[in-house]
């Protein structure tokens, strides 16, 4: 295979098609509309299901239905659309069915704007809907990574029968980079044993999130929490850059994560011993590793396109071992590496 | 080490985004790392459009920069916006057919080309972007003109194929003006 110059939205859509996606339901919203455009051509061409629903509420419930029948299905959206999906996301989590949702974050709150943002961090990792659950949240920083994470998302969703989200942002959706797509995978006609496929010659399966009776629902919750604990044990992913001798740790994900690679290079050139930890899963979070690294650091700087959402998870991970500071931009503003470098220097001055 | 952060900017329809994409395709074809990121928003016809293209020998971190190492400007608002931002030692490529002011900076290389006039002469003023691109890569040596021409052949959309040869000529004319 050779590399192609691909736009993020087209890249993840084509990656999903090649990973054997059987059905896509969605509603267009900037900055991810190119994905719908791509699916609308490719899925029809391949005789698969593409449906532009009347709203995100409808789209997520179509996804819920299709996933219940055991086919590979996904949707994609941006913040305002994700908010409309929240009810369905919770039903999907409660029903323990595999679903993949891509969220290309944009500036909020409200209708906000269509520029890049990371302000849906708490929404995705902590409260994607009512009740006790976490989606597994993957955070790509470049086009190759979002392609690879689509395959991983399906794998994890099906392995754990869980909701997996890909947390992109407008920048990842709109930018082009050279990347390699996976080979075309055959569509699997086999349906999992739990799926509702018409109970011919077997006892019926039931997909539900309704459990009347407190003790019954508590048991379901306990089982769900055990599953989430297993995910926490096995699926934490992150990448480190020059942390070995670092005295100051940057923590950033997605677009800001890659910007911090430039920050790190500039800081190192100026003799500052800076390292970077870039979470690739936002839930589960690399808490233990950050705690371990904190011991060698004079300080930690968290950078985000938000008011400081991941910051709280980093503070929790550092647990007071070293000072934690924050640099953030909001409302669709992408922080420049020079700004973050200034923040690094301020932390350096403060702690030394 | 090869590393150029270039902003292409002009009115919507002048092909700033396409010129940037063509440079990105060309960088990729020459085994360099590339990123292309557009300005996007509630754009309208006649508004300004720009993109940032980074071509580098090393893996690219930030896809946007505060101070680019080069700017290719197709119209006056773009000149006014990006001329002051270019890093010292960088390049400014100016479509002087539509921009009647001069840069006063002495710490950057400034190339003035009557790009829209040349493009009109070749049959279509929309090819001004190619005149400027040809001049830019020739002056900087970032990628080869041959690779750009090959990528143009591969990526010019079907209905634009009739303009392939004139576009190649536009690239060539831009290149000749700076190598003369």
């Amino acid at each position: 295979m050779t590399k192609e110059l691909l736009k993020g939205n087209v890249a993840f859509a084509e990656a999903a098609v090649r990973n054997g996606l059987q059905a896509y339901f969605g509603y267009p919203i900037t900055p991810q509309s190119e994905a719908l455009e791509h699916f609308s051509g490719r899925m029809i061409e391949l005789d698969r299901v593409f449906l532009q629903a009347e709203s995100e509420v409808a789209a997520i419930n179509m996804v819920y239905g299709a996933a219940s029948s055991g086919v590979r299905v996904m949707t994609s959206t941006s913040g305002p659309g994700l908010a409309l999906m929240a009810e369905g996301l919770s039903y999907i989590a409660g029903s323990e069915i595999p679903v993949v949702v891509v969220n290309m974050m944009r500036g909020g709150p409200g209708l906000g704007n269509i520029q890049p943002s990371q302000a849906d961090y708490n929404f995705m990792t902590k409260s994607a809907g009512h009740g006790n659950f976490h989606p597994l949240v993957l955070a790509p920083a470049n086009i190759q990574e979002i392609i690879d994470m689509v395959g991983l998302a399906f794998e994890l969703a099906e392995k754990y029968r869980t909701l997996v989200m890909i947390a992109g942002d407008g920048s990842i959706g709109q930018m082009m980079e050279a990347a390699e797509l996976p080979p075309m995978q055959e569509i699997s006609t086999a349906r999992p044993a739990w799926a509702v496929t018409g109970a011919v010659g077997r006892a019926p399966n039931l997909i539900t999130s309704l459990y009347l009776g407190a003790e019954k629902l508590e048991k379901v919750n306990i089982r769900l929490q055990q599953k989430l604990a297993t995910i926490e044990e096995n699926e934490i992913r992150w990448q480190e850059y020059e942390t070995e001798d670092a005295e100051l740790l940057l923590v950033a994900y997605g677009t800001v994560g890659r910007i911090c690679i430039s920050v790190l290079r500039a800081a190192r050139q100026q003799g500052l011993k800076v390292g970077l930890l870039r979470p690739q899963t936002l839930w589960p979070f690399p808490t233990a590793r950050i705690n371990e690294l904190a011991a060698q650091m004079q300080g930690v700087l968290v950078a985000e396109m938000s008011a400081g959402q991941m910051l709280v998870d980093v503070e929790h991970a550092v647990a007071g071992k070293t000072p934690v500071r924050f640099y953030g931009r909001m409302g669709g503003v992408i922080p420049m590496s020079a700004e973050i470098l200034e923040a690094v220097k301020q932390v350096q001055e403060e702690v030394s | 080490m090869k590393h150029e952060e270039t902003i292409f900017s002009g009115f919507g329809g002048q092909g700033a985004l396409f010129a940037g994409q063509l440079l990105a395709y060309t960088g990729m074809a020459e085994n360099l790392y590339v990123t292309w990121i557009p300005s996007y928003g509630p754009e309208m016809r006649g508004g300004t459009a720009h993109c940032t293209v980074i071509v580098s020998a090393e893996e690219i971190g930030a896809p946007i920069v505060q101070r680019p190492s080069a700017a290719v400007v197709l119209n006056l608002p773009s000149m006014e916006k990006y001329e002051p931002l270019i890093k010292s030692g960088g390049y400014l490529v100016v479509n002087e057919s539509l921009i009647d002011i001069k840069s006063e900076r002495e710490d950057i290389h400034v190339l003035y080309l009557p790009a829209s006039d040349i493009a009109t002469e070749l049959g279509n003023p929309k090819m001004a972007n190619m005149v400027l691109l040809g001049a830019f890569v020739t002056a900087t040596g970032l990628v080869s003109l041959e690779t750009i021409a090959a990528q143009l052949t591969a990526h010019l959309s079907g209905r634009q194929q009739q303009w392939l040869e004139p576009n190649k000529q536009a690239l060539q004319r831009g290149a000749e003006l700076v190598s003369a």
Side-chain angles (χ1 to χ4, degrees):
Chain A
M1 293 295 288
T2 48
K3 286 191 173 183
E4 299 168 55
L5 189 67
L6 293 164
K7 193 172 209 184
N9 286 330
V10 173
F12 88 71
E14 182 58 24
V17 168
R18 294 189 184 197
N19 271 287
L21 182 74
Q22 284 155 288
Y24 175 92
F25 306 93
Y27 188 81
I29 181 169
T30 312
Q32 64 80 54
S33 293
E34 294 89 349
L36 265 90
E37 189 187 350
H38 188 80
F39 281 127
S40 71
R42 287 286 279 154
M43 294 296 274
I44 302 301
E45 188 181 294
L46 294 164
D47 204 22
R48 302 182 193 174
V49 175
F50 167 85
L51 200 152
Q52 182 179 323
E54 66 269 37
S55 75
E56 286 88 346
V57 177
I60 196 66
N61 282 292
M62 291 172 184
V63 167
Y64 183 19
S68 298
S69 75
V71 301
R72 202 165 253 199
V73 58
M74 74 179 290
T75 186
S76 57
T77 188
S78 186
L82 191 68
L84 283 169
M85 289 181 183
E87 179 192 54
L89 297 175
S90 177
Y91 280 50
I92 285 164
S95 302
E96 296 184 75
I97 51 169
V99 164
V100 172
V101 177
V102 176
N103 177 26
M104 288 295 178
M105 291 181 272
R106 56 185 256 177
L111 211 44
N113 62 24
I114 58 178
Q115 313 316 131
S117 164
Q118 294 181 322
D120 299 351
Y121 178 93
N122 284 344
F123 185 5
M124 282 189 283
T125 61
K126 296 182 171 60
S127 59
H130 67 284
N132 296 307
F133 76 98
H134 294 279
L136 201 160
V137 184
L138 303 169
N142 57 59
I143 307 306
Q144 188 64 58
E145 199 167 44
I146 198 168
I147 290 170
D148 298 342
M149 279 181 174
V150 167
L152 178 65
F154 286 125
E155 185 191 314
L156 295 175
E158 285 158 18
K159 179 176 177 187
Y160 296 104
R161 287 176 61 183
T162 199
L163 173 62
V164 178
M165 285 190 178
I166 296 179
D169 61 66
S171 173
I172 297 283
Q174 295 299 321
M175 72 182 286
M176 294 178 97
E177 229 172 354
E180 192 175 324
L181 286 159
M184 196 71 170
Q185 201 183 98
E186 288 285 314
I187 289 229
S188 161
T189 49
R191 304 286 181 85
W194 52 262
V196 284
T197 55
V200 179
R202 62 161 172 81
N205 287 331
L206 178 67
I207 304 283
T208 185
S209 67
L210 177 69
Y211 296 93
L212 295 174
E215 282 175 13
K216 207 169 172 185
L217 182 55
E218 188 181 45
K219 272 191 188 139
V220 171
N221 266 276
I222 289 168
R223 185 163 47 78
L224 200 54
Q225 291 303 310
Q226 283 167 347
K227 179 164 80 179
L228 293 175
T230 308
I231 294 173
E232 265 193 291
E233 221 166 274
N234 299 332
E235 306 302 345
I236 300 173
R237 290 170 166 80
W238 72 89
Q239 224 173 22
E240 286 181 31
Y241 307 78
E242 304 192 37
T243 46
E244 220 160 88
D245 66 337
E247 290 167 0
L248 199 142
L249 183 68
L250 275 163
V251 185
Y253 71 96
T255 289
V256 184
R258 68 179 295 156
I259 291 171
C260 282
I261 296 172
S262 297
V263 177
L264 182 146
R265 283 179 190 149
R268 287 268 169 181
Q269 269 179 14
Q270 296 178 23
L272 298 168
K273 285 192 175 170
V274 174
L276 167 65
L277 185 144
R278 181 171 69 81
Q280 292 166 303
T281 51
L282 304 181
W283 196 90
F285 194 69
T287 306
R289 181 58 184 154
I290 291 174
N291 182 270
E292 192 180 11
L293 280 171
Q296 80 185 53
M297 302 296 167
Q298 292 174 357
V300 174
L301 179 70
V302 180
E304 292 176 68
M305 291 191 282
S306 84
Q309 299 192 8
M310 180 178 70
L311 170 65
V312 179
D313 286 338
V314 175
E315 282 172 335
H316 171 71
V318 170
K321 281 187 177 175
T322 190
V324 180
R325 297 293 177 262
F326 178 69
Y327 185 79
R329 297 298 301 260
M330 292 179 283
V333 179
I334 304 174
M336 296 288 174
S337 49
E339 298 167 39
I340 303 175
L341 182 62
E342 273 313 301
V344 166
K345 285 180 188 166
Q346 271 177 27
V347 177
Q348 185 73 34
E349 254 172 55
E350 186 194 333
V351 297
S352 59
Chain B
M1 188 194 69
K2 260 186 193 175
H3 184 88
E4 201 79 62
E5 301 148 347
T6 310
I7 288 180
F8 291 83
S9 183
F11 288 126
Q14 280 189 303
L17 300 192
F18 181 74
Q21 269 185 21
L22 188 56
L23 178 59
Y25 278 118
T26 306
M28 187 177 75
E30 296 196 354
N31 291 316
L32 296 161
Y33 289 97
V34 296
T35 57
W36 174 93
I37 188 165
S39 60
Y40 70 95
E43 312 288 5
M44 57 180 183
R45 191 167 299 202
T48 60
H50 76 265
C51 63
T52 304
V53 181
I54 304 182
V55 176
S56 182
E58 73 172 349
E59 202 174 343
I60 298 162
I64 57 165
V65 290
Q66 205 156 19
R67 303 200 55 194
S69 57
V72 175
V73 294
L74 285 138
N75 65 358
L76 183 61
S78 304
M79 169 86 168
E80 289 170 336
K81 186 168 177 188
Y82 296 111
E83 185 256 2
L85 297 181
I86 297 165
K87 276 183 196 159
S88 193
Y91 284 82
L92 173 64
V93 186
V94 181
N95 177 15
E96 72 173 338
S97 305
L98 299 182
I99 301 167
D100 55 10
I101 60 169
K102 300 283 176 211
S103 170
E104 284 176 10
R105 289 186 59 175
E106 285 172 0
D107 62 331
I108 58 172
H109 308 274
V110 189
L111 312 171
Y112 298 97
L113 297 107
S116 297
D117 296 331
I118 293 172
T120 306
E121 192 188 304
L122 292 171
N124 191 333
K126 286 183 182 169
M127 300 186 302
N129 58 349
M130 293 298 114
V131 176
L132 299 174
L133 182 63
F136 171 63
V137 301
T138 305
T140 56
L142 183 59
V143 292
S144 87
L145 210 61
E146 289 69 33
T147 321
I148 296 192
Q151 292 302 309
L152 190 62
T153 309
H155 296 287
L156 208 59
S157 65
R159 65 192 167 85
Q160 302 288 358
Q161 280 292 333
Q162 53 170 322
W163 292 105
L164 180 60
E165 284 313 314
N167 268 290
K168 285 182 179 173
Q169 286 168 26
L171 281 166
Q172 192 62 43
R173 289 283 293 276
E176 281 163 8
L177 279 173
V178 296
S179 49

